[in-house]
Amino acid sequence: MNTDTAFQQWQTQTRARTEELLERLLPAGNVCPEILHQAMRYSVLGGGKRLRPLLVAAAAELGNRDRQACEHAMAAVECVHVYSLVHDDMPAMDNDDLRRGKPTCHIRFGEAFALLAGDALQTLAFELLSLPNGLPAPRHLRMLQTLARATGSTGMAGGQAIDSANVGNTLDQHALARMHERKTGALIGASVALGALCCPELDDADLSRLNVFAAKTGLAFQVIDDVLDCEADTATLGKTAGKDSQQNKPTYVALLGLAPARRYAEQLLAEALSALAPYGGRADYLRGLAEFSVKRGY
Amino acid sequence: MNTDTAFQQWQTQTRARTEELLERLLPAGNVCPEILHQAMRYSVLGGGKRLRPLLVAAAAELGNRDRQACEHAMAAVECVHVYSLVHDDMPAMDNDDLRRGKPTCHIRFGEAFALLAGDALQTLAFELLSLPNGLPAPRHLRMLQTLARATGSTGMAGGQAIDSANVGNTLDQHALARMHERKTGALIGASVALGALCCPELDDADLSRLNVFAAKTGLAFQVIDDVLDCEADTATLGKTAGKDSQQNKPTYVALLGLAPARRYAEQLLAEALSALAPYGGRADYLRGLAEFSVKRGY
C-alpha cells in the first residue's frame, strides 16, 4: 500500500468526520440564543485545516482509543482554536477582516457577538471534554487538566499576550520560540496528549515522547506560517497575507531570512519524526501530519 | 447564639478566605507573561461581594465537604464571574469605565489585555476545578460538567447574548426572567450545586432542592440589582449608576415599578428559604446569603 495515499485518504476522511462531529456537537442555530449560536457555528464550521483534531485522531491511533473520548477531544481542541481566532481577529487585537476566506466573526455579527461567541466556544470545549466517555474517570480528569493548562495564561492565551506586548519589538530567536511554544505549541501539544490519553494503555513515557514530537512539530508549523505569510497571496491563504510584517510583528523570516527559515522547519520536522521511532506503522498518521505541517502551501 | 452575628462572622471570615485563596491560586504578577497576570490579578483581587464563592462555601456546610474541592470551586466560580465582568465592561459590550470603585480592566491595561485577561480567567476556572481533590473522580467530573453548562452559550454567556440583543427592546416579565436565569442565575445555581457536590453524601434530591433555592435567590438578586441601579448613587455601588435605564436596557423596575419590584424580590426570597426547610441549622449560611442578596444596599 502506498503510505502517502493511505495518509491522504485518512486525512480527508478524518477532516470530514471532524466537520460532522462539530456540526452535531455545536448548538443548533435555531436554539436560543440564536444569534450567538449562529455566530459560533459560522466561525467553526465549513473550513480550516483541522490540524488539531487530526492530531488528536492520529495520536489516538497509537493505542486502543476510547471512541467517545476521542471524538469529544477532537471537537474540544478545535473549539479552543477557533475561540482564539475569533478573539485574535477583533479590532482590539489583530483587527482582521478575513479568515478562512470569509468575513471574520465580528465583521459578520458585530463585536459584542464575536466576543461572546469566542467566550462560549471556550466553554463549549470544556463542556464537551467533560461529557461521559468510556475512560477511567481519573484519566478523563487528566484530559481536562491537560486542555486547561494548554489554553490558559501560561499556554495559548499567554503566548498571545507575549505576542501583543511585542508588536514592533525585535525578539531574539529564543524569545520568539518561547512565544510560539505557548501561542500555538501548547494547544498542538495538548492535542497530541489528548489523543494519547484516549488510549488507556499509553503511559507517561509515551506522553513524554509525544511531547517532544508535538513541540518540534508545533514550532515547525509556526516557522512555516511565517514563511507562507511572506510568500503566499491572500487568496491561497484565506486570510490577509503579509499582515505580520506590515504590523512589525517578529517572525522567523525577519529573524533568519526566507530560505534559512524553511531549512530550520525541515530540521525540526526531522527531529519530530525521530521521536516517533518506537511506534512503527501505528505512528504513520502522526508522521503524515508533521510532514503536511511543513510542506503545506496554505 | 445570635444567628445574625454568627452569619456576619462567617461571611467576613469566608470573604477573607476567598481573598487569600484567589491571591494564592492566581499566577503571580511577576510570572511571564507579566502584564497578563497583572491584569488578571487587578480584576479579581481586592474587591467584590464574593457572593458566588460564599454560596459554594455555604452549600458545602450542608454535608461533610472535601476541603480542596470546595476551595477550588470557590476560586473557580469567582474567576468565571470576573471574566464575565471584564468582557462585559469592554467597549464592544457595556463600555463601562468603573467597576468595584476602580477603573475597569480595559481602561487600566488596554482592550487587548482585557480581552486576554477575561479569556485566561475563564480557562483558569476550569484548570482550578480540574486540580486533584479528595472526591471520587466521577463526582469531580460532575463538578466540571456543572460549571461548563452554567457558563456557556445556554448559561451565562447566553444570557449576556440575549441581553445584548435586546438593548432598546421591551421584554415582558417572562422574557426578562429567562434572560436573567441565564445571565446571573446559571452561575449562582452552579455555585450552590458545586458546594453540594463537594459533600459526597448529598444526592440528586438534595441537588434538586438546592436548585430551586438558587433559582429563586438568583432572580431576587437580579431584581434587587435593578432596584439598586435605579436608587443608589455611583459611589455606593462602585460602578456607574443608572446605566441600565440610560441604555434602555429592560429592568424589573421599568417593568413593575420600584416598590413592586422590591416586593417581588421579598416574595422570591420567601420561596427560596422554604426550599431549605429540610436542612435545619446546617442551612443557616445559605439562608443568610439569600437574605443578604435581597437586603443589601450595594
Side-chain angles (χ1 to χ4, degrees):
Chain A
M1 192 174 71
N2 183 317
T3 310
D4 257 22
T5 312
F7 172 73
Q8 289 303 341
Q9 274 181 6
W10 172 85
Q11 191 183 28
T12 305
Q13 280 165 6
T14 309
R15 212 173 260 149
R17 192 157 65 91
T18 304
E19 196 72 24
E20 282 164 24
L21 274 174
L22 291 166
E23 170 74 45
R24 173 161 58 81
L25 294 172
L26 279 160
N30 62 359
V31 167
C32 175
E34 291 83 357
I35 304 174
L36 178 61
H37 288 149
Q38 287 160 18
M40 292 165 73
R41 297 180 72 87
Y42 175 85
S43 304
V44 172
L45 298 176
K49 289 180 279 292
R50 310 300 190 198
L51 175 63
R52 291 152 192 82
L54 287 165
L55 284 167
V56 173
E61 292 288 326
L62 296 176
N64 294 303
R65 79 189 196 296
D66 178 79
R67 190 183 56 79
Q68 278 188 310
C70 184
E71 290 187 352
H72 296 156
M74 288 168 69
V77 294
E78 191 67 6
C79 286
V80 168
H81 176 56
V82 174
Y83 121 64
S84 77
L85 299 180
V86 169
H87 282 184
D88 290 0
D89 285 338
M90 288 180 68
M93 305 280 295
D94 287 354
N95 195 20
D96 247 313
D97 294 350
L98 199 61
R99 166 72 67 183
R100 293 176 174 175
K102 53 185 194 181
T104 46
C105 187
H106 67 276
I107 295 290
R108 176 70 180 75
F109 290 92
E111 284 188 53
F113 279 94
L115 183 56
L116 290 169
D119 289 343
L121 283 170
Q122 178 175 187
T123 319
L124 183 61
F126 289 102
E127 185 176 353
L128 293 176
L129 201 58
S130 74
L131 291 177
N133 61 38
L135 292 176
R139 199 164 176 99
H140 187 177
L141 276 168
R142 195 165 164 191
M143 294 180 76
L144 284 151
Q145 290 156 8
T146 300
L147 184 66
R149 239 172 253 152
T151 301
S153 71
T154 56
M156 186 184 73
Q160 189 62 51
I162 299 173
D163 197 15
S164 292
N166 285 290
V167 175
N169 287 359
T170 311
L171 292 185
D172 64 20
Q173 193 171 343
H174 178 71
L176 192 61
R178 282 192 59 209
M179 186 267 280
H180 286 309
E181 271 163 23
R182 299 176 189 215
K183 190 178 165 191
T184 54
L187 189 58
I188 283 175
S191 301
V192 173
L194 289 174
L197 286 166
C198 291
C199 307
E201 71 272 44
L202 296 185
D203 61 16
D204 284 346
D206 293 306
L207 285 162
S208 297
R209 250 176 245 125
L210 292 170
N211 194 38
V212 174
F213 164 79
K216 303 288 183 184
T217 302
L219 192 50
F221 185 86
Q222 189 55 54
V223 174
I224 291 297
D225 240 27
D226 289 351
V227 167
L228 292 174
D229 187 70
C230 176
E231 283 182 347
D233 62 59
T234 300
T236 314
L237 219 52
K239 59 184 179 183
T240 313
K243 188 102 191 178
D244 291 345
S245 54
Q246 274 169 33
Q247 294 187 335
N248 278 322
K249 287 205 173 182
T251 74
Y252 280 98
V253 174
L255 205 64
L256 305 175
L258 196 59
R262 267 209 181 276
R263 281 198 300 276
Y264 181 47
E266 295 281 352
Q267 177 205 322
L268 289 165
L269 172 62
E271 291 168 8
L273 295 180
S274 76
L276 298 178
Y279 300 105
R282 296 203 94 160
D284 277 347
Y285 297 147
L286 279 180
R287 284 188 195 96
L289 287 173
E291 282 165 3
F292 163 79
S293 296
V294 171
K295 289 166 186 167
R296 70 203 160 101
Y298 64 98
Chain B
M1 191 176 72
N2 183 316
T3 310
D4 256 21
T5 312
F7 172 73
Q8 289 302 340
Q9 275 181 5
W10 172 86
Q11 192 183 26
T12 304
Q13 281 166 6
T14 308
R15 212 174 259 149
R17 191 156 66 92
T18 303
E19 196 72 23
E20 283 163 25
L21 273 174
L22 291 166
E23 171 74 44
R24 173 161 58 82
L25 293 171
L26 278 160
N30 61 359
V31 166
C32 175
E34 292 84 356
I35 306 175
L36 179 61
H37 288 150
Q38 287 160 19
M40 291 164 73
R41 296 179 74 85
Y42 175 84
S43 305
V44 172
L45 298 176
K49 289 179 281 290
R50 310 301 190 196
L51 175 65
R52 290 152 194 82
L54 288 166
L55 284 167
V56 174
E61 292 288 326
L62 295 177
N64 294 302
R65 78 192 196 296
D66 178 79
R67 190 184 55 79
Q68 279 189 308
C70 184
E71 290 187 353
H72 297 156
M74 288 168 70
V77 295
E78 191 67 6
C79 286
V80 168
H81 176 56
V82 175
Y83 120 65
S84 79
L85 299 180
V86 170
H87 281 184
D88 289 0
D89 285 338
M90 288 181 69
M93 305 278 296
D94 286 355
N95 195 20
D96 247 313
D97 293 350
L98 200 61
R99 165 73 66 184
R100 293 175 173 176
K102 53 186 193 180
T104 46
C105 186
H106 67 276
I107 295 289
R108 175 72 180 72
F109 291 91
E111 283 188 54
F113 279 93
L115 183 56
L116 289 169
D119 288 343
L121 283 171
Q122 178 175 186
T123 318
L124 183 61
F126 288 102
E127 186 176 353
L128 294 175
L129 201 58
S130 74
L131 291 177
N133 62 38
L135 292 176
R139 199 163 176 99
H140 187 175
L141 277 168
R142 195 165 162 188
M143 293 179 77
L144 284 151
Q145 290 155 8
T146 299
L147 184 67
R149 239 171 255 151
T151 302
S153 72
T154 56
M156 186 185 72
Q160 189 61 52
I162 299 173
D163 197 14
S164 293
N166 285 292
V167 175
N169 286 359
T170 310
L171 292 184
D172 64 21
Q173 192 172 344
H174 178 71
L176 191 61
R178 283 194 58 209
M179 187 265 281
H180 286 309
E181 273 164 21
R182 300 178 188 213
K183 191 178 164 190
T184 55
L187 188 57
I188 284 175
S191 300
V192 173
L194 289 173
L197 285 165
C198 291
C199 308
E201 71 273 41
L202 296 185
D203 62 14
D204 283 347
D206 293 305
L207 285 161
S208 296
R209 250 177 245 123
L210 291 169
N211 193 39
V212 173
F213 165 79
K216 303 288 183 184
T217 303
L219 192 50
F221 185 87
Q222 189 55 52
V223 173
I224 292 297
D225 240 27
D226 289 351
V227 168
L228 291 173
D229 187 72
C230 176
E231 282 181 349
D233 62 59
T234 301
T236 314
L237 218 53
K239 59 183 179 183
T240 314
K243 188 100 191 178
D244 291 345
S245 54
Q246 274 169 34
Q247 294 187 335
N248 278 321
K249 286 204 175 184
T251 74
Y252 280 98
V253 174
L255 205 64
L256 305 175
L258 197 58
R262 269 210 180 276
R263 281 198 299 276
Y264 180 47
E266 295 281 352
Q267 175 205 322
L268 289 164
L269 172 61
E271 292 168 7
L273 296 179
S274 77
L276 297 178
Y279 299 105
R282 297 204 92 160
D284 277 347
Y285 298 147
L286 280 180
R287 283 188 197 95
L289 288 172
E291 281 165 2
F292 163 78
S293 296
V294 171
K295 287 164 188 168
R296 69 201 161 102
Y298 64 98

